[in-house]
């Protein structure tokens, strides 16, 4: 590969990285569990248009550093964006390497960095460093070449100045530490640094020593707490890339205008409200990320950045575009999702080099016919607007590969849409579409087609000509007959037709042997069609919410089936035919009318997840206890017959991690539940449980415990042993110890601390009661008390009885009784109650009056 091509890929990754921060995707998870095979995941990647050089989070040694180096961090941030923003389908990515290769030749300035890109995270340790020194610096596995050092997540609290004694350290990665300053570092050593990454260090400001890094070309301080960028940043004359993503910056750093070599600037996810007019002085700026700030207008200053290629303004409050936007002659990527745009200034259509335009989640009502000017456009995202039609002129965008129009008010597509020969992804979910045009058959390159949430009654047979389709979603329409044309699609892996009116499955589906994932829930199916059984490669089948009563014996042919969803059907007996599916991992038969389980279920050797909730079991199906591989069991009965007890054999399911027994009438948890060593989650809310067995407190991996809506009056003091517990719920119990207000915060530490102090208090009260009894009991009552407490004479009689007072003998006897009772794990409160009952039985009323007075006094004191 030539150096020029390598540089092109470098900038592609850089641009892709900025795009990644702005998108998330809502993933529909139907029913109990949704598991998709690796093949389907690979197919999904293909649908998203991700080739190997298009992963938006680049390698940590690559030139772009905005994202954290680990894919785990990437996933975590994406999940966080999904939760916070609930975007739907705005992460469309089908831009191919061809669409980016046009950048080759425009970025020769990067050639000085190309050599470093070829090095991995770890290379050889410089020979000048002794083995002892390597261990001291933590470099055994983090530094193998003589210019790159990675000390990510090493627990560092100060700048590792000794590291720079290694020759040629140019690229230093200190992410996920607690470094706040460069104090103590030799200024001469700092001069050699060219790349410095300090992501996730909890920085509140940049160290002033930053000005010493005169050769620094890339600085990444994303994901910190920085609120201000110091003026010293202006002395970094060689800086080419700056990353301040996800901080607390409110004012655009005015001194940045002095950085004449700056090419990439990320200030996304900050608190910027204004962009200075001096920004155009950054005449070499190519990539600018300002997503998720608080900009209310499109800053005109942005329009005069002559070399700008990529601009991300996702997630601001922009309501209109300035006419000056036409000056961005070189702009190729413009991201304006999640703003307040009501119209597009006509000047935007003068951006003739635009390749990607994202406008999802605005308030656009119309798209100008001048969109025909976008002859280079590859990606157009218009989801979640107010569009009633799409101009016919869009068909002039001959290079278009991805078009998403979901969540609008469309009733039809442009008549000439078939002219978009390069279109690979077309999503028109949740509109008012009545039909799918016949001309769709001319979209020879289409891979992903989605028309869910419309009022479509049928699919044209001509769709069979779209032989590259691998994914189709037609959920929640008015389809009455299974579309025959789909059965001729040889590449179709994923088909979802939930929520329609299909009552029969055609024999032609037998030819779709390449299918991996099929969803037909919420239809009108009366039988489990024999034709399904020919789908020998199918891994996921959802037939929930139909009217199926039995399973054909030929289901044994479905040797690849991993997930089977049959919830909300009409099964009255457990279908034994399912027990032939040796590779089945997930089975959902919830909300049926099952009364018992066949013992043949033990043949499901690999079963991991079972949902039998809301059925009509008379007793807990003990046959389930044979399943050694089971990890999740849901037998909650919110709609079914209530179970009253759990068998002790439950402990045989040693691999069980999640157990849901909620909404039953269970009175006690099995005393041997502690043998479920792998249990992570226990949901037992809305039962009649009044006691937590001691063995439950030995579940060291337990993270979730929900016992709300039961009859618990006291929690065991040893609950603090559940040190892995993250979520607890004891609401709606008649709790006295601790009182309900202590438990409402759902904090284990608070509850355990209360119980610890309560135990100490109860011990003191018990000791006072012992003294009251000892000082006031008569000889006759003492003998009767010893009988009631099962204390033998040999334990109470003393050799020197004539010289030891009755008070001393009585107190000693009570201490012996307490010691014996402790072997039974009785609490001080329980011992007190037992002693009071014994005193009442022997008629020691004077002593009882004193104890009652003590109890009243202690209750009056706030605990």
């Amino acid at each position: 590969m030539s150096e020029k091509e390598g540089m092109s890929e470098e900038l592609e990754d850089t641009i892709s990285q900025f795009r990644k921060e702005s998108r998330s995707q809502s993933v529909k998870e139907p029913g109990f569990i949704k598991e998709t095979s690796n093949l389907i995941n690979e197919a999904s990647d293909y649908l998203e248009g991700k080739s190997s050089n298009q992963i938006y989070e680049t390698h940590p040694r690559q030139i772009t550093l905005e994202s954290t180096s680990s894919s785990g961090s990437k996933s975590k941030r994406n999940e966080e964006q999904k939760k916070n923003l609930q975007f739907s389908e705005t992460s469309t990515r089908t831009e191919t390497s061809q669409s980016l290769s046009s950048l080759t030749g425009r970025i020769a300035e990067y050639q000085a960095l190309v050599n470093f890109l070829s090095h991995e995270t770890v290379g050889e340790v410089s020979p000048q460093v002794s083995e002892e020194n390597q261990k001291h610096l933590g470099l055994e596995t983090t530094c193998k070449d003589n210019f790159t050092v990675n000390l990510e997540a090493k627990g560092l609290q100060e700048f590792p100045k000794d590291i720079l004694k290694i020759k040629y350290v140019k690229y230093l990665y200190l992410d996920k530490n607690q470094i706040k300053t460069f104090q103590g570092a030799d200024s001469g050593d700092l001069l050699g640094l060219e790349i410095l990454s300090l992501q996730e260090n909890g920085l509140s400001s940049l160290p002033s020593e930053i000005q010493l890094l005169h050769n620094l070309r890339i600085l990444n301080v994303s994901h910190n707490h920085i609120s201000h960028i110091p003026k010293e940043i202006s002395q970094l004359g060689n800086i080419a890339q700056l990353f301040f993503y996800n901080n607390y910056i409110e004012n655009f750093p005015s001194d940045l205008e002095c950085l004449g070599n700056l090419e990439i600037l990320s200030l996304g996810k900050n608190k910027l409200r204004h962009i200075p007019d001096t920004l155009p002085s950054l005449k070499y700026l190519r990539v600018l990320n300002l997503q998720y700030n608080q900009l209310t207008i499109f800053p005109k200053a942005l329009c005069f950045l002559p070399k700008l290629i990529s601009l991300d303004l996702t997630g601001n409050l922009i309501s209109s575009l300035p006419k000056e936007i036409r000056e961005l002659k070189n702009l190729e990527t413009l991201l304006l999702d999640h703003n307040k745009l009501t119209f597009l200034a006509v000047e935007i259509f003068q951006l003739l080099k635009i390749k990607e335009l994202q406008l999802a989640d605005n308030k656009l009502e119309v798209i100008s016919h001048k969109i025909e000017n976008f002859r280079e456009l590859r990606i157009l995202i218009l989801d979640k607007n107010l569009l009633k039609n799409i101009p016919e002129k869009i068909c002039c965008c001959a290079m278009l590969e991805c078009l998403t129009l979901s969540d609008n008010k469309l009733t039809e597509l442009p008549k000439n849409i078939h002219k978009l020969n390069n279109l690979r992804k077309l999503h028109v979910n949740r509109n008012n579409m009545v039909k799918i045009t016949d001309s769709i058959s001319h979209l020879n390159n289409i891979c992903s087609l989605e028309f869910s949430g419309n009022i479509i009654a049928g699919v044209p047979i001509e769709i069979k000509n779209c032989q590259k389709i691998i994914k189709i979603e037609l959920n929640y329409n008015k389809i009455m007959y299974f579309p025959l044309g789909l059965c001729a699609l040889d590449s179709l892996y994923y088909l979802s037709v939930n929520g329609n009116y299909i009552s029969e499955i055609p024999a032609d589906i037998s030819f779709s042997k390449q299918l991996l994932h099929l969803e037909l829930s919420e239809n009108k199916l009366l039988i489990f069609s024999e034709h399904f059984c020919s789908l020998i490669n199918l891994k996921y089948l959802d037939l929930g919410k139909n009217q199926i009563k039995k399973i054909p014996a030929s289901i044994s042919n479905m040797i690849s089936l991993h997930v089977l969803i049959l919830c909300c059907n009409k099964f009255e007996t457990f279908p034994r035919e399912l027990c032939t599916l040796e590779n089945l991992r997930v089975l959902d038969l919830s909300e049926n009318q099952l009364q018992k389980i066949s013992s043949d279920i033990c043949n499901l050797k690999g079963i991991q997840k079972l949902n039998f909730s809301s059925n009509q079991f008379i007793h807990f199906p003990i046959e389930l206890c044979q399943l050694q591989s089971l990890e999740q069991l849901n037998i909650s009965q919110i709609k079914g017959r209530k179970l009253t007890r759990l068998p002790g054999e439950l402990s045989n399911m040693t691999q069980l991690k999640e157990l849901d027994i909620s909404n039953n009438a269970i009175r006690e948890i099995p005393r041997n539940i502690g043998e479920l060593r792998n249990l992570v989650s226990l949901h037992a809310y809305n039962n009649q449980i009044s006691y937590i067995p001691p063995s439950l407190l030995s579940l060291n991996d337990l993270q979730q415990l929900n016992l709300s809506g039961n009859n618990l009056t006291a929690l065991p003091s040893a609950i603090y042993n559940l040190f892995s517990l993250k979520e607890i719920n004891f609401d709606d119990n008649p709790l006295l110890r601790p009182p309900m207000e202590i438990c409402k915060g759902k904090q284990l530490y608070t509850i355990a601390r209360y119980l610890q102090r309560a135990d100490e208090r109860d011990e003191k009260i018990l000791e006072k009661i012992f003294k009251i009894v000892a000082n006031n009991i008569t000889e006759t009552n003492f003998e009767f008390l010893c009988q009631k407490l099962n204390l033998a004479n040999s334990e109470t009689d003393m050799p020197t009885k004539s010289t030891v007072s009755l008070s001393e003998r009585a107190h000693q006897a009570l201490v012996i009784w307490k010691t014996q009772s402790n072997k039974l794990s009785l609490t001080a409160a329980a011992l007190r109650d037992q002693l009071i009952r014994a005193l009442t039985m022997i008629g020691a009323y004077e002593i009882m009056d004193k104890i009652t007075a003590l109890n009243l006094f202690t209750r009056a004191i706030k605990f």
Side-chain angles (χ1 to χ4, degrees):
M1 181 175 68
S2 69
E3 287 189 1
K4 186 176 288 188
E5 289 171 339
M7 289 296 92
S8 177
E9 288 187 5
E10 173 193 322
L11 189 58
E12 290 167 18
D13 285 332
T14 298
I15 295 172
S16 296
Q17 172 186 336
F18 283 107
R19 292 195 300 238
K20 183 64 175 177
E21 297 287 358
S22 73
R23 42 190 76 100
S24 60
Q25 185 170 6
S26 297
V27 181
K28 177 177 173 287
E29 296 287 346
F32 170 49
I33 298 157
K34 188 160 184 174
E35 234 182 49
T36 310
S37 67
N38 290 335
L39 265 172
I40 293 178
N41 288 332
E42 291 170 9
S44 178
D45 286 344
Y46 178 60
L47 291 175
E48 294 301 321
K50 295 176 183 175
S51 58
S52 60
N53 65 339
Q54 285 180 278
I55 304 302
Y56 302 115
E57 301 288 348
T58 58
H59 191 283
R61 299 289 74 79
Q62 286 177 316
I63 203 76
T64 14
L65 298 169
E66 171 150 335
S67 311
T68 57
S69 59
S70 69
S71 61
S73 297
K74 170 187 73 174
S75 175
K76 183 177 179 181
R77 288 203 307 278
N78 287 345
E79 289 297 317
E80 182 181 350
Q81 290 181 9
K82 289 177 188 176
K83 291 176 183 175
N84 291 341
L85 301 170
Q86 293 297 310
F87 301 157
S88 63
E89 302 167 358
T90 61
S91 63
T92 317
R93 281 293 159 277
T94 58
E95 187 165 348
T96 60
S97 56
Q98 290 98 338
S99 68
L100 283 168
S101 61
S102 62
L103 296 177
T104 306
R106 304 181 58 218
I107 47 177
E109 299 91 335
Y110 285 90
Q111 289 180 359
L113 304 180
V114 71
N115 291 332
F116 125 84
L117 289 173
S118 63
H119 288 273
E120 296 296 330
T121 303
V122 269
E124 284 188 354
V125 179
S126 174
Q128 289 84 355
V129 187
S130 68
E131 290 185 12
E132 182 180 352
N133 216 18
Q134 291 171 33
K135 292 180 180 179
H136 175 67
L137 299 176
L139 294 180
E140 304 99 315
T141 59
T142 55
C143 176
K144 284 189 182 177
D145 57 48
N146 58 0
F147 55 85
T148 300
V149 173
N150 178 11
L151 290 173
E152 177 182 321
K154 296 293 183 182
L156 302 177
Q157 296 187 357
E158 58 182 34
F159 193 86
K161 50 186 180 295
D162 295 337
I163 294 293
L164 301 181
K165 301 302 180 184
I166 303 172
K167 282 191 176 182
Y168 310 121
V169 175
K170 297 181 180 180
Y171 316 122
L172 183 56
Y173 301 88
L174 300 172
D175 303 333
K176 299 181 182 178
N177 287 290
Q178 292 296 320
I179 299 170
K180 301 292 189 296
T181 177
F182 297 168
Q183 190 173 1
D186 188 286
S187 59
D189 293 333
L190 292 173
L191 283 174
L193 283 179
E194 297 181 13
I195 296 176
L196 176 62
S197 183
L198 283 162
Q199 297 182 84
E200 297 185 57
N201 270 270
L203 290 169
S204 57
S205 63
L206 275 179
S208 58
E209 297 92 342
I210 196 76
Q211 61 186 314
L212 302 175
L213 309 181
H214 297 303
N215 290 314
L216 199 65
R217 291 180 292 117
I218 300 172
L219 174 63
N220 189 352
V221 287
S222 297
H223 310 289
N224 281 289
H225 304 116
I226 298 170
S227 58
H228 173 71
I229 299 177
K231 61 183 180 180
E232 286 84 0
I233 198 82
S234 62
Q235 299 184 36
L236 302 180
N238 290 314
I239 201 77
Q241 300 183 20
L242 272 177
F243 300 95
F244 289 96
Y245 187 85
N246 192 19
N247 278 283
Y248 297 93
I249 301 168
E250 296 185 3
N251 298 309
F252 195 95
S254 57
D255 296 301
L256 289 186
E257 62 196 53
C258 302
L259 303 178
N261 293 313
L262 194 62
E263 299 180 2
I264 297 174
L265 175 60
S266 172
L267 283 162
K269 210 171 181 181
N270 279 281
K271 297 183 177 182
L272 298 174
R273 296 176 180 272
H274 176 71
I275 302 299
D277 294 335
T278 55
L279 187 67
S281 60
L282 299 175
K283 58 181 66 178
Y284 293 107
L285 196 64
R286 295 174 178 269
V287 180
L288 178 59
N289 183 350
L290 293 171
Q291 64 174 233
Y292 303 113
N293 277 281
Q294 299 173 19
L295 301 174
T296 56
I297 61 171
F298 189 111
K300 290 184 181 180
L302 302 182
C303 301
F304 300 102
L305 294 167
K307 293 187 179 294
L308 200 64
I309 295 173
S310 175
L311 175 59
D312 189 347
L313 287 164
T314 299
N316 281 281
L317 303 167
I318 298 169
S319 58
S320 63
L321 304 179
K323 295 179 180 180
E324 290 80 1
I325 197 171
R326 62 176 176 255
E327 301 299 326
L328 291 171
K329 302 295 185 183
N330 291 308
L331 197 64
E332 297 180 2
T333 299
L334 178 58
L335 309 181
L336 283 162
D337 293 334
H338 317 295
N339 276 281
K340 305 291 183 182
L341 294 172
T342 56
F343 68 97
L344 296 178
V346 70
E347 287 78 10
I348 194 175
F349 299 103
Q350 296 180 32
L351 305 180
L352 303 184
K353 292 186 178 181
I354 203 77
K355 288 183 171 66
E356 177 176 1
L357 180 59
Q358 288 202 30
L359 294 162
D361 194 18
N362 281 280
K363 306 213 178 280
L364 299 173
E365 295 185 7
V366 65
I367 300 295
S368 170
H369 66 277
K370 291 192 176 182
I371 197 171
E372 65 179 329
N373 295 340
F374 289 160
R375 301 302 172 99
E376 297 295 320
L377 191 64
R378 266 76 163 175
I379 300 173
L380 179 59
I381 312 296
L382 291 169
D383 302 323
K384 298 183 74 172
N385 279 285
L386 303 172
L387 301 172
K388 293 182 178 179
N389 58 68
I390 302 297
E392 290 288 337
K393 293 293 187 179
I394 197 174
C395 301
C396 297
C397 303
M399 302 299 290
L400 196 62
E401 297 177 5
C402 171
L403 176 60
T404 71
L405 302 164
S406 297
D407 298 290
N408 280 284
K409 299 181 178 181
L410 303 174
T411 56
E412 61 179 0
L413 293 175
K415 294 181 175 60
N416 293 324
I417 195 168
H418 62 275
K419 293 183 179 180
L420 296 175
N421 293 325
N422 289 302
L423 198 63
R424 298 175 62 236
K425 183 173 185 177
L426 176 60
H427 290 182
V428 199
N429 299 312
R430 294 173 296 280
N431 279 276
N432 299 316
M433 303 290 295
V434 177
K435 68 173 186 176
I436 300 175
T437 176
D438 297 350
S439 62
I440 203 169
S441 62
H442 298 290
L443 298 175
N444 296 326
N445 288 304
I446 198 75
C447 295
S448 176
L449 197 62
E450 295 185 9
F451 279 84
S452 296
N454 286 283
I455 47 177
I456 295 167
V459 178
I461 190 69
E462 289 81 5
I463 199 172
K464 65 183 181 182
N465 296 324
C466 302
Q467 284 297 310
K468 291 186 179 180
I469 288 187
I470 64 176
K471 180 180 181 182
I472 294 179
E473 291 193 11
L474 296 166
N475 303 314
Y476 302 101
N477 279 285
K478 305 292 182 182
I479 300 170
M480 297 187 66
Y481 302 102
F482 191 94
L484 286 175
L486 304 183
C487 301
L489 298 173
D490 294 338
S491 298
L492 188 64
Y493 289 126
Y494 185 110
L495 175 60
S496 184
V497 202
N498 299 320
N500 283 282
Y501 298 88
I502 297 169
S503 59
E504 294 183 15
I505 301 300
D508 291 24
I509 200 173
S510 303
F511 298 112
S512 301
K513 296 192 185 300
Q514 78 291 338
L515 263 181
L516 299 177
H517 187 112
L518 178 59
E519 297 181 24
L520 279 160
S521 70
E522 294 186 65
N523 277 279
K524 303 296 180 182
L525 298 175
L526 298 175
I527 63 170
F528 188 111
S529 174
E530 293 268 1
H531 305 309
F532 288 139
C533 302
S534 299
L535 304 176
I536 58 175
N537 293 307
L538 197 68
K539 293 180 179 290
Y540 186 106
L541 177 59
D542 186 353
L543 296 175
K545 298 186 179 180
N546 281 283
Q547 300 176 47
I548 301 169
K549 295 182 178 180
K550 59 182 182 178
I551 301 293
S554 54
I555 194 174
S556 59
N557 296 330
M558 303 180 75
I559 55 177
S560 300
L561 199 60
H562 285 178
V563 180
L564 179 58
I565 311 295
L566 293 169
C567 62
C568 305
N569 275 282
K570 301 294 182 181
F571 292 100
E572 295 180 359
T573 59
F574 178 80
R576 297 176 62 182
E577 294 80 5
L578 298 179
C579 300
T580 62
L581 299 171
E582 294 183 359
N583 290 310
L584 198 63
R585 301 290 180 267
V586 179
L587 175 61
D588 185 353
L589 274 164
S590 59
E591 296 193 45
N592 281 281
Q593 300 297 313
L594 303 178
Q595 294 188 25
K596 59 181 182 178
I597 303 294
S598 168
S599 59
D600 292 341
I601 198 170
C602 65
N603 293 327
L604 298 178
K605 302 293 186 184
I607 197 72
Q608 295 174 353
K609 303 175 185 179
L610 279 178
N611 189 349
F612 284 118
S613 62
S614 296
N615 275 280
Q616 298 298 320
F617 298 117
I618 300 172
H619 305 291
F620 182 96
I622 201 167
E623 294 80 7
L624 300 180
C625 300
Q626 307 173 58
L627 301 173
Q628 300 290 324
S629 61
L630 197 63
E631 296 180 3
Q632 293 182 17
L633 175 60
N634 186 344
I635 199 158
S636 172
Q637 300 297 324
I638 191 168
K639 293 182 181 179
R641 181 181 293 179
K642 309 296 185 185
L643 301 174
T644 58
R645 63 177 295 273
L646 297 175
E649 290 85 350
L650 191 70
S651 61
N652 294 338
M653 293 189 283
T654 54
Q655 298 303 311
L656 202 62
K657 294 180 179 178
E658 298 181 21
L659 175 61
D660 190 341
I661 54 172
S662 306
N663 300 299
N664 282 287
I666 296 169
R667 293 183 175 85
E668 64 177 24
I669 298 173
R671 295 182 180 274
N672 60 350
I673 194 169
E675 296 178 26
L676 299 177
R677 300 295 183 192
N678 293 304
L679 202 63
V680 172
S681 173
L682 174 59
H683 292 280
Y685 54 87
N686 296 342
N687 278 283
Q688 298 174 19
I689 299 166
S690 58
Y691 170 71
I692 296 178
S695 70
L696 187 145
L697 305 177
S698 66
L699 296 174
N700 294 332
D701 292 335
L702 195 65
Q703 297 180 17
Q704 296 177 319
L705 177 60
N706 190 337
L707 283 165
S708 60
N710 279 283
N711 297 328
L712 296 171
T713 57
L715 299 182
S717 301
I719 197 169
Y720 62 82
N721 289 334
L722 299 175
F723 51 81
S724 297
L725 213 53
K726 296 177 181 177
E727 298 178 23
I728 53 175
N729 192 341
F730 297 112
D731 291 350
D732 301 318
N733 278 281
L735 279 170
L736 299 174
R737 187 180 181 278
M740 199 60 239
E741 54 267 25
I742 298 295
C743 297
K744 281 184 178 178
K746 299 178 173 61
Q747 297 295 318
L748 179 62
Y749 174 80
T750 305
I751 294 172
R753 180 63 177 151
Y754 178 95
L755 293 172
Q756 180 185 357
R757 294 179 63 191
D759 283 346
E760 294 170 357
R761 183 170 183 259
D762 289 343
E763 286 285 349
K764 292 178 180 178
I765 293 173
L766 183 62
E767 180 59 31
K768 288 185 178 181
I769 291 175
F770 281 2
K771 290 180 179 179
I772 291 173
V773 173
N775 292 334
N776 295 278
I777 198 164
T778 65
E779 187 74 47
T780 303
N781 281 343
F782 176 53
E783 293 179 4
F784 288 151
L785 181 61
C786 291
Q787 293 174 10
K788 295 298 180 184
L789 297 180
N790 296 319
L791 283 169
N793 289 335
S794 60
E795 294 171 339
T796 58
D797 290 344
M798 299 181 183
T800 57
K801 183 174 180 180
S802 59
T803 61
V804 178
S805 68
L806 174 61
S807 174
E808 290 177 308
R809 285 190 289 120
H811 190 274
Q812 183 65 28
L814 291 172
V815 171
I816 293 172
W817 169 70
K818 177 185 174 183
T819 303
Q820 293 175 343
S821 299
N822 284 341
K823 296 177 182 179
L824 303 175
S825 300
L826 293 178
T827 64
L831 290 174
R832 180 189 62 201
D833 294 341
Q834 189 174 333
L835 178 57
I836 290 173
R837 283 195 298 271
L839 290 168
T840 304
M841 292 171 69
I842 66 174
Y845 300 117
E846 183 180 345
I847 295 175
M848 286 297 303
D849 289 341
K850 294 180 182 295
I851 293 175
T852 300
L854 175 65
N855 287 336
L856 290 173
F857 175 75
T858 55
R859 288 174 187 171
I861 300 174
K862 186 176 180 180
F863 180 38

